[in-house]
Amino acid sequence: MQSTYIYFIPGAMKLQKNIAISESGFVFNPGSGESFILNRTGKNILELLRDNKMFEEIIELMMGEYEVDRIVLEKSILDFISVLKSYGLLEKEPASAN
Amino acid sequence: METRKSTFERPVINRVNAGLPDKFGMHSKLRSMPEIDSIPVESLIGLYGSPLFVLSEKTIRETMSDAKRAFTTRYPKVQFAWSYKTNYLDAVCRVFHQEGSWAEVVSGFEYEKAVANGVEGQFILFNGPGKTTEDIDRAITQGSMIHLDHFDELFLVMGCAERLGKRAKVALRINMDTGIYPRWDRFGFNYENGEAWQAVNKILPDSRLELVGLHTHIGTYILSTNAYAVATTKLAELTVRIQRKFNHTIKYIDLGGGFASRNTLKGAYLPGTDTCPSFDNYAEAITASLVNSEIQHDKMPMLILETGRALIDDAGCLLGTVLANKRLVDGRLSMILDIGVNMLFTSFWYEHAVVPSKETSDYTENTTIYGPLCMNIDVIRDAVQFPVLERGDHVVVNRVGAYNMTQWLQFITYRPNVVMIGMKGDVDVIRKAENYSSLSMHEHIPDHLIHFRL
Ligand SMILES: Cc1ncc(COP(=O)(O)O)c(C=O)c1O
């Protein structure tokens, strides 16, 4: 199944090193000292990112697990990733990586 | 055997703030609002479009009877006058007139509306600092109460009455210190500096004028019931002085409007639903001051109230639709609605209660709610914990009955339909949405500007 929208696929989607994710969905960033709380889907995605899964892989894995429209899933994962970025939980992309 | 897939919920991550919980101690879940007076929001939007103003006749009448009960059980002569500027859609005014309210108007246009609604001149109170000679002539001819705002107007009314050969019924608008801020001293004659007394001394010996009442409107969204007690006491003292010096009986004391509605003011620490005094609280302050005053028992004046927002705010909702969600650079979520500040003028003062029309997830995000106008000022809510809705989902903005359907601006978009849900659940369009022709009707293009080539 192909997505009908063409999205910018975020290049670097690596979780910062040392980020701790607890069973109950708590996240601790030792680098900043900040804590976060996740819902179940959020925890799923964060764990997949920690395991270095690529965007397409994450989509496929999540499609297998959840009853969800692909476009809705893609949109919400992209949005989620931008939130992770703004919280400083992802590794910085190398500047002008061309 | 295939296992069933789980239902998907939007992924959410929220920062745990090390500091304090929010000012109410927690984030309470937003209650959705699937229907208004038992009519589904979805079907209202389906039939009448989005955005859509919805007024509940039932809520208007219930609020009005609550207010009437609070005052009439405490004082024998009570009269409400509907403040037209608060909401002058004819259907709304007529509900109030059916409930026995007179009309309180502040312009020639509002006066014409009241007359067209079938209100006789003797039941119209004419306020405001900008009455024209024509306005005054009409008010004198039709026997309305002219509430004088300044000395220039006083002399103008004298001249009109003389020319028409008819005595003008006037009341004095009085401003005063009631212990609250801001003090509205730009309307009427001042109490403390003797200006009001001076006006009394000008009016009473003059055969062209009959001083029928004393009026004040101390401000709007007044949370202090004591301010009303102070205002009532001062008007009662003036009534007594007038009786003593001129042996003239003041027929009515008019306390204006100003009761708070249950909306939350911007920057308020507690929600309006918690801080808004009840009609009973206001009624107690006002009527006790009248009853305990030195006005002679057989000369007690009629008590007039020009309550606006507190009678209509709760009866109005604005329905709208989510156009998009957008992530701002700082990570905050922004939600764009088809409701702009052009139709929700009160979003400049209130933190309006915006709720989803459907049940949503428990997870909320710090969200900024924008309107669709290409203008930076178009913000409906600055920061609110809100569930993430999808494009096409609907929202309900509560308590928009006061001042929106009059102060709305024809700016960038057309004004939408306004419907009223009647007592039996019937829905009527009481103001049709504007369209291109309703607006272009007033424009004219000079001949030399008709043609151009690009
Ligand atoms: C003279 C007068 N009366 C009544 C009102 C209604 O006030 P509110 O909506 O605060 O009750 C107003 C509103 O500004 C007013 O100017």
Side-chain angles (χ1 to χ4, degrees):
Chain A
M1 209 197 317
Q2 267 300 308
S3 131
T4 46
Y5 294 164
I6 299 171
Y7 284 114
F8 166 75
I9 307 294
M13 295 199 322
K14 277 177 76 94
L15 207 58
Q16 293 260 21
K17 289 191 200 70
N18 304 330
I19 301 280
I21 309 169
S22 85
E23 257 321 293
S24 55
F26 266 102
V27 176
F28 181 62
N29 179 1
S32 66
E34 288 173 315
S35 314
F36 303 86
I37 187 155
L38 296 160
N39 66 350
R40 174 163 165 225
T41 19
K43 176 164 172 272
N44 248 213
I45 298 170
L46 216 68
E47 284 169 347
L48 292 169
L49 288 170
R50 183 190 54 199
D51 299 343
N52 294 319
K53 295 280 186 274
M54 300 299 290
F55 187 71
E56 279 301 321
E57 279 181 283
I58 297 178
I59 300 283
E60 293 311 324
L61 286 164
M62 299 279 288
M63 292 284 294
E65 190 159 339
Y66 292 97
E67 192 60 59
V68 60
D69 174 75
R70 190 183 178 100
I71 294 172
V72 171
L73 181 65
E74 284 191 16
K75 277 208 303 193
S76 40
I77 294 180
L78 279 165
D79 181 57
F80 186 65
I81 286 169
S82 66
V83 179
L84 296 180
K85 257 190 210 153
S86 75
Y87 284 159
L89 292 172
L90 297 187
E91 277 187 3
K92 292 247 164 17
E93 290 174 58
S96 66
N98 282 341
Chain B
M1 204 180 82
E2 212 189 313
T3 49
R4 274 187 58 205
K5 293 186 187 178
S6 317
T7 44
F8 178 76
E9 187 176 64
R10 231 185 123 89
V12 180
I13 179 164
N14 279 325
R15 197 188 335 243
V16 179
N17 287 324
L20 299 158
D22 76 323
K23 62 189 177 191
F24 308 125
M26 56 176 199
H27 298 307
S28 47
K29 191 180 170 187
L30 277 183
R31 288 252 302 276
S32 62
M33 195 161 159
E35 48 184 44
I36 301 167
D37 287 1
S38 309
I39 309 218
V41 165
E42 306 301 315
S43 66
L44 287 167
I45 289 184
L47 284 168
Y48 305 103
S50 173
L52 176 69
F53 277 101
V54 182
L55 286 153
S56 158
E57 181 181 345
K58 185 162 160 279
T59 307
I60 302 178
R61 290 193 193 271
E62 283 171 3
T63 314
M64 187 70 227
S65 64
D66 185 33
K68 274 196 284 195
R69 177 205 46 76
F71 281 90
T72 54
T73 50
R74 292 177 165 89
Y75 192 76
K77 286 187 274 183
V78 177
Q79 179 62 51
F80 280 85
W82 177 238
S83 158
Y84 262 48
K85 71 159 96 63
T86 310
N87 188 324
Y88 46 53
L89 295 180
D90 291 333
V92 170
C93 295
R94 282 167 190 252
V95 174
F96 283 105
H97 297 322
Q98 283 188 351
E99 290 288 330
S101 292
W102 294 359
E104 184 269 325
V105 304
V106 293
S107 69
F109 161 62
E110 288 190 358
Y111 194 101
E112 281 171 27
K113 252 186 171 287
V115 170
N117 277 327
V119 181
E120 289 167 46
Q122 56 175 317
F123 302 122
I124 300 177
L125 309 176
F126 200 164
N127 275 308
K131 306 173 195 85
T132 64
T133 307
E134 296 72 48
D135 292 338
I136 291 170
D137 280 352
R138 179 172 45 193
I140 295 175
T141 310
Q142 303 198 9
S144 303
M145 279 72 77
I146 303 170
H147 288 193
L148 299 172
D149 188 79
H150 42 72
F151 278 111
D152 281 335
E153 189 172 74
L154 170 55
F155 291 117
L156 183 60
V157 173
M158 284 173 173
C160 293
E162 173 138 2
R163 179 168 37 76
L164 295 168
K166 189 163 192 285
R167 212 164 172 218
K169 288 199 277 178
V170 299
L172 271 188
R173 173 150 183 179
I174 293 164
N175 68 67
M176 58 179 78
D177 179 6
T178 57
I180 53 164
Y181 184 85
R183 200 182 294 171
W184 283 23
D185 63 2
R186 56 172 285 195
F187 302 110
F189 300 84
N190 186 255
Y191 181 83
E192 286 82 15
N193 72 6
E195 194 186 22
W197 185 240
Q198 203 186 331
V200 165
N201 282 279
K202 188 87 202 146
I203 296 168
L204 273 160
D206 197 301
S207 61
R208 294 166 292 186
L209 308 179
E210 180 192 358
L211 184 64
V212 287
L214 299 177
H215 170 251
T216 190
H217 172 71
I218 59 176
T220 194
Y221 201 97
I222 308 294
L223 290 169
S224 157
T225 53
N226 186 56
Y228 282 96
V230 173
T232 310
T233 303
K234 288 187 174 176
L235 293 188
E237 278 167 6
L238 204 53
T239 304
V240 172
R241 260 174 104 184
I242 292 168
Q243 185 76 48
R244 201 185 302 136
K245 175 162 176 186
F246 297 97
N247 193 26
H248 176 81
T249 305
I250 290 295
K251 293 202 176 109
Y252 67 84
I253 281 185
D254 179 347
L255 266 295
F259 300 160
S261 78
R262 298 189 306 140
N263 262 307
T264 304
L265 280 188
K266 283 202 164 159
Y269 188 70
L270 289 167
T273 42
D274 291 359
T275 54
C276 178
S278 64
F279 286 121
D280 283 298
N281 300 146
Y282 290 116
E284 188 59 35
I286 292 170
T287 58
S289 309
L290 268 182
V291 171
N292 298 333
S293 74
E294 287 179 27
I295 302 177
Q296 270 171 255
H297 191 67
D298 59 340
K299 301 223 160 42
M300 290 303 269
M302 172 191 270
L303 168 62
I304 296 185
L305 298 153
E306 302 169 350
T307 312
R309 72 176 77 238
L311 286 176
I312 188 76
D313 237 0
D314 277 4
C317 291
L318 178 54
L319 314 185
T321 304
V322 177
L323 300 178
N325 285 310
K326 219 167 152 172
R327 191 58 68 180
L328 302 177
V329 176
D330 64 4
R332 254 179 320 143
L333 189 67
S334 76
M335 180 171 78
I336 307 173
L337 298 179
D338 60 356
I339 295 170
V341 294
N342 53 351
M343 64 190 77
L344 193 61
F345 198 83
T346 52
S347 54
F348 292 123
W349 325 320
Y350 289 146
E351 285 181 357
H352 273 297
V354 185
V355 298
S357 69
K358 286 188 304 213
E359 271 302 308
T360 55
S361 123
D362 283 343
Y363 286 93
T364 58
E365 278 200 54
N366 186 10
T367 307
T368 303
I369 305 179
Y370 291 118
L373 310 179
C374 196
M375 295 287 292
N376 209 31
I377 54 163
D378 195 21
V379 183
I380 303 298
R381 285 298 302 271
D382 262 333
V384 57
Q385 283 296 130
F386 209 77
V388 179
L389 303 187
E390 295 297 333
R391 179 180 161 85
D393 285 348
H394 298 134
V395 298
V396 182
V397 188
N398 284 280
R399 298 191 196 100
V400 303
Y403 295 106
N404 285 302
M405 283 155 259
T406 49
Q407 274 185 290
W408 51 6
L409 309 168
Q410 194 284 302
F411 181 54
I412 300 185
T413 64
Y414 301 123
R415 284 173 282 207
N417 274 323
V418 181
V419 298
M420 182 183 277
I421 303 177
M423 299 304 284
K424 297 195 184 94
D426 39 316
V427 181
D428 285 297
V429 176
I430 61 166
R431 190 180 192 276
K432 274 201 298 204
E434 289 164 349
N435 56 31
Y436 185 74
S437 66
S438 52
L439 296 178
S440 62
M441 191 168 83
H442 295 278
E443 293 201 36
H444 170 71
I445 303 166
D447 282 347
H448 69 286
L449 295 179
I450 290 175
H451 300 289
F452 57 81
R453 197 176 302 161
L454 296 177

